[in-house]
Amino acid sequence: MSKKFFLLLIGFSAYFLFGSFIIQPKYWLNKEENKKSNPTVETETLYNTYCTPCHGSQGDGEGELAYLLYPKPRNFTKGMFKLRSTPSGQMPSDDDLFKTIKNGMAGTAMPSFTFLKEDEIKSLVDFVKKLSQKCPPNQPCENYFTGAVTNPVKVPEPLASSAELVEKGKSVYTSLGCDKCHGEKGIGDGPSALTLKDGWGYPIPVRDFTSGTYVGGGSPKDLYLRFITGMSGTPMPSFESAINEMAGTNDADRQKYIWGLIHYIKSLEVKNASTQNTISPENNIIECQKSSAITDTDKLFGNSKIWSNAKTYSIPVNRLWQKTSNNQLLVSVSAIYDGQKVAVKMVWNDPDKTDNTYRIQEFQDGSAVQFSLTDKPGFHGMGSKDSPVDIWFWHSDWQARIGKDNNQLYAHSSYADGHTTDYPQSIHPNALSTGRDAGNNLSQDIKSSPVEAVSAKGPGTLKSKPTINQNVTGKGVWAENKWTVVLIRNMSGGKEEVQIANGKEIPVAFAIWNGSMNDRNGQKMVSTWYKLKVR
Amino acid sequence: MKMNVITSAVLLTLCLSTATDSTYAGNNGNTVAGGSVSGTVKFEGTAPKPRPINMVADKVCASQHTSTVFSEDAVISSTNTLKNVFVYIKDFKGTAPAPKGAVSLTQSGCIYKPHVLGLMVGQKLEITNDDALLHNLHGTPSVNKEFNVGQPKKGMKNEFTFDKEEVGIPIKCDVHPWMKSYLHVLKHPYFAVTDENGKFTISGVPAGTYTVEAWHEKYGTKTMTIKVTDGGSAMADFSMSKK
C-alpha cells in the first residue's frame, strides 16, 4: 500500500467517523439525540406539517388553504396575537402562545394540538416567535419579541355567581357599551356589528355569547383576560383603564363589577343538550370497546344494548368558514368492535334535517370519520402525500336516494310537472351507462349505501373509491332535532384502507356538514386528531 | 467603567452639537436663530363633493349635531386649498427632547378633534372622551405598537406615548366606523398642519437645506427641497390632486 493511498484512507475514515457526524447529524444520530443537537430540523418539519398549510411557510398567513378559511389565519409577521394575558400594547407571553396552540381557537379553523407532545408545542412556540418579524426592504429584519416586556395580568379568583351578581353584570354590560357590538341580547348583532373589521381589513363576526364558544376558552378567568387585555388585531379593546374609571378604587366593588359582567355573559349561554353523559377524551384517546356481534344496522339504533360497554365522548368540531353564530358543535362519539366488524356512532344536534338534492341552492347534512394511515398523523385537513387518510363519508342525500331512481326522487315526487333527463337504463335495463359500468361509484344513479369510502393525500386530492371497494355501510336517523349516524366496516381493510386490530391506536378525526348552514365539501366543521384505541 | 466614560463623552459631544446646531426655541430677544418655512397646499382639479357622515348606527352621536357632519378626509376650500395636510421636514438629522406638555385629541360628537395631529417621540398624547358612550381608541401603527382601549365614560382620559418615529398612524373607533384620525410622530418639532386656508408655518428651523414633505391621507405625498437661513423665511407651496 502506497503511503499516499494510506493517508487518503485515513482521511476518508476520519471524514466518515467525524466529518459526517458534524456535517449531517440528522442521519448519524438516533432520533432522540438528533433532537437535542439540532432542534430546528424537527421543529421545521412539525411547523411545515401542521402550520404551513394555513399560516404559510414564512408565517405571513398566506398558506395555500388560507383562501378557504374565515377568519383568515394569523399573519405572524405583523406581531399581533389575539390571545394575550399581557396588557394592551404588549407581546403575548410564551405561555399564551403555548395555550393557543395546545387548545386551538374554538369556533375557528385553528384546531387544538393536544395530540402533540408538550415539548413539540414548545418548540412550535419558539418557531412562531422566530417568524414574528418585520423585514423592511433593504433593512435587517426586526423581531417583535426581541427585548419585549411581558407582564402578565394577575387574574384574581372569580367570585361565585349569584342572581344578584348577574343582575349587577347586566347593568355593567350596558353601561360599558358591550351592546354596541355584541347586541342587547348578546347574540352579536349590535348596531356596529356589521361594520367591524379585523387588522387586515376583513369583516369580523362578533362573538355570540349564547353560543358559549370562545376562541380563548370559556372559563371566567379566560373571559377576564379577554376583557382586561383586549384582543390584538380585532376591534375588541382593553377595558382595563375603563374599569379603573367606572368601578372605582375599592377592590370589592371592582371585583363585583368585573365578575358580575362575566357571570352575566356566561348566563346567556344556551346549553347544548346532546353533550349530556359524555366525557372529553383523556389524552385524546377514544376507546373502541368489545361488544356482542354487530349484525343488522337497524339494531344499532334506539335503546340498543350493544353500546352499553362503550364510552361516549364529546368531540368539538369547528366551522372552517365562520358564520355569525354556532361555529362549534359537540359531537358525541362512541366506538365498538366484535372481532369481525367495527362500528362508529356519531350523534349531534341539528334542528333542520336537510337531505334534499332537488334545488341547487340547498345543501345537505353529512358526517365523516377520517383515519390516518400513518401512526403519526399528517395535516388534519385530509392528510398529506406522506400521510394519506381513509375517510368514511355518510351523506344524508344519498340515504334519501336509496332504492329510488332520479325520476322517483325529483321530478315526479317533488314537482308533478317537473322533468329530468332519463338515464339510459330506465329505457332499457341493459343499456350502457359509461361511468356506472366502468365502476365509478359516483355514477350510480340508485344508491345502495349512504356511505362513501374515500381516500385522500392532502387537501384537493379527495378520491371516491371504485364501486367494488365501497366496503363501508351505515345509516343515519334524524329524530328530536338530532342526527344519529352509525358507520360499519370490517376490521381488516384492503389497500389504502385503515386496519383496525386489537391493541392498535389509530389517529382519527371527525367532520360534520350542516346543510341548512350551507356547509358543503371543504366548507364544514372539523375536529382535530384523536386516537382510536382498540381494546 | 471605561465604557461609561466613553459613552458619557459621546453623549456630551452629542448634547453640545445639538445645542449649537439647533436652538429651535426661536424668538430670543433680537437674535433670531433659524428661519421659518411657510406655504400653502393647493388642490388641483375639481374638488370632490363633501361626503356626509351617516351616524344612524348610533342615535346618541347623531343627536349631538344639528347640521350634517361631513367627512374630513378631504376638506377643500372655495379657493381650492387643502386642509389637514401634515407638512414636515423629512431629513432633519438632529433630535430634540420631547416637550413636557401633552398633545390632546378629543372625541366629541363621535368625531375626532383635531383630525390630524403631530407630536414628538416620547411626548404625551392625551385622548379624551367627550361623549357619554363607548368609544374605543384603536391605533394601528406599522412601526409602533398597536393599541386598543375602550373608553365607555364621558370625561375618561388615556395617555399614550410613541417610542419610534412614524408618519401616518391611523386611529379609529371600531364602534363608529366613520371616526378616523391620523397621528404623526417625529423626533424633532419641525412640522405643521394646514389650516382652513391650506396654510402652514413651521418656525425656528435651524439654517440648512432640507427636504420638506406634505402628507395627506387621500392625496398622498409631495416633497420639495428648500433652504432655510437664519432670520429668513423659506416658501414651500405644494399642490395635490386625485391620484
Side-chain angles (χ1 to χ4, degrees):
Chain A
M1 195 185 289
S2 80
K3 207 174 176 182
K4 212 173 179 180
F5 182 72
F6 183 69
L7 280 175
L8 205 65
L9 194 69
I10 289 182
F12 266 122
S13 317
Y15 172 77
F16 279 117
L17 274 174
F18 307 108
S20 59
F21 193 94
I22 295 158
I23 297 164
Q24 292 180 308
K26 199 178 159 188
Y27 303 108
W28 185 265
L29 299 172
N30 71 35
K31 224 178 166 188
E32 207 48 46
E33 275 168 309
N34 175 26
K35 212 153 88 186
K36 276 182 220 155
S37 64
N38 195 358
T40 53
V41 173
E42 286 215 347
T43 309
E44 199 167 343
T45 311
L46 266 184
Y47 181 88
N48 284 336
T49 305
Y50 300 114
C51 315
T52 297
C54 303
H55 293 284
S57 60
Q58 299 306 307
D60 59 1
E62 299 284 349
E64 61 167 332
L65 303 179
Y67 79 102
L68 294 167
L69 309 175
Y70 173 72
K72 295 292 152 199
R74 249 323 133 108
N75 175 354
F76 305 139
T77 70
K78 292 286 178 200
M80 287 195 280
F81 295 87
K82 208 180 249 180
L83 306 179
R84 285 176 292 106
S85 63
T86 53
S88 177
Q90 284 190 9
M91 297 305 287
S93 69
D94 284 12
D95 194 44
D96 292 336
L97 296 176
F98 181 88
K99 281 184 185 154
T100 305
I101 298 174
K102 186 174 179 188
N103 302 331
M105 292 183 169
T108 78
M110 173 70 185
S112 68
F113 283 90
T114 38
F115 63 92
L116 292 180
K117 294 190 201 91
E118 193 165 310
D119 60 338
E120 287 178 319
I121 299 178
K122 278 185 180 160
S123 66
L124 282 176
V125 168
D126 291 337
F127 201 82
V128 167
K129 284 171 75 179
K130 211 178 83 182
L131 292 175
S132 183
Q133 56 181 7
K134 161 175 65 195
C135 297
N138 307 323
Q139 276 177 54
C141 294
E142 205 183 315
N143 192 292
Y144 292 96
F145 285 93
T146 308
V149 183
T150 51
N151 302 314
V153 170
K154 283 204 181 83
V155 185
E157 275 311 305
L159 298 179
S161 183
S162 66
E164 187 200 354
L165 209 55
V166 168
E167 196 57 38
K168 162 97 184 153
K170 192 175 179 178
S171 68
V172 172
Y173 184 83
T174 325
S175 64
L176 283 178
C178 303
D179 56 330
K180 300 264 181 207
C181 298
H182 294 281
E184 259 174 64
K185 294 172 187 160
I187 57 173
D189 66 344
S192 301
L194 292 177
T195 55
L196 298 177
K197 285 181 178 148
D198 70 10
W200 290 267
Y202 292 106
I204 184 168
V206 183
R207 187 60 35 201
D208 170 359
F209 294 132
T210 64
S211 73
T213 307
Y214 298 94
V215 288
S219 78
K221 283 189 167 189
D222 291 325
L223 299 188
Y224 182 98
L225 284 174
R226 302 293 91 76
F227 174 65
I228 292 294
T229 71
M231 298 165 90
S232 304
T234 82
M236 176 67 188
S238 152
F239 279 91
E240 192 177 19
S241 49
I243 288 299
N244 296 338
E245 190 85 15
M246 301 193 64
T249 46
N250 182 314
D251 191 56
D253 289 348
R254 196 182 147 96
Q255 296 289 321
K256 274 187 200 160
Y257 195 91
I258 303 176
W259 294 116
L261 173 69
I262 290 169
H263 287 310
Y264 170 66
I265 286 170
K266 295 287 287 175
S267 77
L268 299 172
E269 287 175 19
V270 177
K271 300 283 173 264
N272 190 337
S274 80
T275 57
Q276 284 169 357
N277 307 320
T278 59
I279 49 174
S280 288
E282 206 176 310
N283 297 322
N284 274 26
I285 286 176
I286 294 170
E287 287 179 5
C288 182
Q289 299 282 356
K290 183 92 198 243
S291 70
S292 54
I294 299 166
T295 51
D296 189 5
T297 318
D298 288 334
K299 290 189 179 147
L300 299 175
F301 287 88
N303 293 323
S304 171
K305 283 198 179 123
I306 200 163
W307 300 97
S308 57
N309 279 341
K311 290 177 184 163
T312 304
Y313 299 91
S314 180
I315 307 289
V317 289
N318 296 296
R319 189 167 272 118
L320 299 174
W321 191 275
Q322 223 173 51
K323 300 286 163 65
T324 48
S325 66
N326 296 326
N327 293 300
Q328 189 182 62
L329 190 67
L330 292 168
V331 187
S332 301
V333 172
S334 352
I336 50 171
Y337 74 101
D338 66 359
Q340 273 269 305
K341 285 179 176 167
V342 61
V344 179
K345 180 162 79 170
M346 299 167 81
V347 183
W348 71 96
N349 280 354
D350 186 348
D352 310 299
K353 177 188 180 187
T354 40
D355 59 359
N356 191 348
T357 50
Y358 190 75
R359 283 144 51 97
I360 53 158
Q361 67 271 40
E362 281 178 356
F363 300 97
Q364 298 76 39
D365 299 333
S367 73
V369 183
Q370 168 182 274
F371 297 96
S372 168
L373 298 183
T374 53
D375 290 343
K376 178 108 183 171
F379 182 57
H380 73 301
M382 293 187 287
S384 63
K385 215 170 153 188
D386 305 323
S387 191
V389 293
D390 182 10
I391 298 171
W392 305 349
F393 186 1
W394 171 83
H395 303 257
S396 65
D397 52 321
W398 284 25
Q399 184 164 304
R401 287 168 65 183
I402 289 176
K404 293 177 186 164
D405 70 23
N406 284 311
N407 275 328
Q408 288 170 310
L409 248 181
Y410 310 127
H412 299 169
S413 61
S414 306
Y415 294 86
D417 298 332
H419 173 77
T420 54
T421 306
D422 286 322
Y423 271 61
Q425 62 271 22
S426 64
I427 302 164
H428 191 281
N430 294 336
L432 180 75
S433 179
T434 43
R436 181 198 61 173
D437 294 337
N440 184 340
N441 184 44
L442 299 175
S443 300
Q444 310 301 319
D445 67 324
I446 299 173
K447 296 292 176 199
S448 54
S449 166
V451 189
E452 181 187 11
V454 285
S455 55
K457 292 176 177 178
T461 64
L462 199 73
K463 192 172 73 181
S464 192
K465 289 180 181 165
T467 307
I468 50 160
N469 294 337
Q470 291 292 331
N471 302 325
V472 189
T473 56
K475 190 181 170 178
V477 171
W478 188 85
E480 293 170 355
N481 298 330
K482 261 184 230 171
W483 272 115
T484 301
V485 169
V486 177
L487 302 169
I488 304 163
R489 206 203 70 182
N490 280 337
M491 293 177 74
S492 61
K495 196 177 159 238
E496 291 182 5
E497 284 175 356
V498 63
Q499 302 292 332
I500 295 171
N502 204 345
K504 272 189 96 172
E505 285 187 12
I506 305 149
V508 63
F510 306 89
I512 298 289
W513 287 258
N514 184 341
S516 50
M517 293 294 275
N518 291 349
D519 286 344
R520 72 274 197 180
N521 307 326
Q523 193 174 318
K524 56 179 178 275
M525 292 194 266
V526 301
S527 82
T528 188
W529 286 113
Y530 294 88
K531 270 184 179 169
L532 188 75
K533 188 173 180 178
V534 188
R535 51 183 303 159
Chain B
M1 280 308 105
K2 208 172 186 180
M3 277 298 285
N4 279 347
V5 174
I6 294 169
T7 323
S8 318
V10 171
L11 278 176
L12 197 68
T13 326
L14 273 176
C15 291
L16 286 172
S17 62
T18 338
T20 44
D21 283 350
S22 55
T23 13
Y24 60 86
N27 242 329
N28 183 11
N30 290 331
T31 53
V32 176
S36 68
V37 182
S38 58
T40 308
V41 180
K42 281 251 173 206
F43 182 79
E44 260 179 25
T46 319
K49 269 191 187 162
R51 206 159 46 83
I53 293 172
N54 185 353
M55 292 192 183
V56 75
D58 202 321
K59 283 177 195 150
V60 185
C61 295
S63 71
Q64 291 183 61
H65 299 277
T66 45
S67 57
T68 314
V69 184
F70 293 96
S71 169
E72 290 185 278
D73 61 353
V75 183
I76 297 160
S77 72
S78 54
T79 53
N80 265 20
T81 60
L82 193 55
K83 193 190 170 185
N84 287 332
V85 180
F86 184 72
V87 187
Y88 68 108
I89 296 185
K90 203 176 180 179
D91 55 354
F92 188 78
K93 292 287 182 280
T95 55
K100 287 239 164 64
V103 173
S104 55
L105 178 65
T106 310
Q107 300 150 100
S108 171
C110 303
I111 296 290
Y112 285 113
K113 290 175 183 167
H115 182 66
V116 174
L117 201 54
L119 74 161
M120 284 174 64
V121 170
Q123 188 175 11
K124 275 182 197 155
L125 167 69
E126 192 180 77
I127 310 184
T128 313
N129 186 1
D130 220 13
D131 297 327
L133 48 82
L134 172 72
H135 284 307
N136 70 315
L137 298 167
H138 194 169
T140 55
S142 48
V143 179
N144 286 281
K145 292 222 166 69
E146 184 199 28
F147 59 88
N148 189 356
V149 174
Q151 284 192 336
K153 198 181 175 186
K154 185 172 173 149
M156 217 185 128
K157 280 188 178 114
N158 279 88
E159 271 185 5
F160 301 90
T161 52
F162 300 88
D163 52 11
K164 283 171 189 145
E165 210 169 29
E166 183 173 355
V167 170
I169 302 175
I171 293 202
K172 64 172 174 175
C173 172
D174 295 286
V175 185
H176 308 107
W178 61 85
M179 290 176 71
K180 205 153 191 190
S181 160
Y182 287 90
L183 289 182
H184 304 279
V185 183
L186 297 178
K187 282 183 186 159
H188 61 76
Y190 309 117
F191 55 79
V193 179
T194 57
D195 62 13
E196 285 79 5
N197 302 316
K199 287 192 189 311
F200 73 94
T201 304
I202 308 170
S203 49
V205 183
T209 305
Y210 303 107
T211 305
V212 180
E213 183 170 270
W215 187 102
H216 188 266
E217 62 192 272
K218 216 173 163 184
Y219 302 121
T221 56
K222 283 277 162 72
T223 53
M224 187 181 288
T225 306
I226 49 136
K227 198 177 174 189
V228 177
T229 55
D230 279 334
S233 54
M235 292 302 289
D237 290 334
F238 293 91
S239 74
M240 291 189 154
S241 58
K242 278 182 199 167
K243 277 182 209 167

